[in-house]
Amino acid sequence: MKIKTMLVCALSALLSACGSMSFGETALDTLSVFGEASAIKNCYDNGGSRDLCESWD
């Protein structure tokens, strides 16, 4: 997960340097959503309940 986070940060920095900041922010938000969805899927795959896997605290 640490490598994915570093990759997302690097990609966001490159996108914001090459174009508008809003495009970079949108790309980062999109990647964050996919990361969260992957974490939720992994939680369910490991036998987690809805309360455990989808808690937003």
Side-chain angles (χ1 to χ4, degrees), residues 3-53:
I3 293 173
K4 287 182 184 179
T5 303
M6 290 175 14
L7 182 62
V8 167
C9 290
L11 182 60
S12 176
L14 288 173
L15 289 173
S16 65
C18 295
S20 73
M21 188 58 184
S22 72
F23 177 75
E25 289 175 356
T26 301
L28 182 59
D29 289 344
T30 301
L31 291 173
S32 297
V33 167
F34 282 119
E36 289 174 13
S38 177
I40 291 171
K41 181 185 179 305
N42 288 336
C43 181
Y44 278 118
D45 288 346
N46 290 320
S49 67
R50 182 175 183 176
D51 289 336
L52 176 66
C53 296

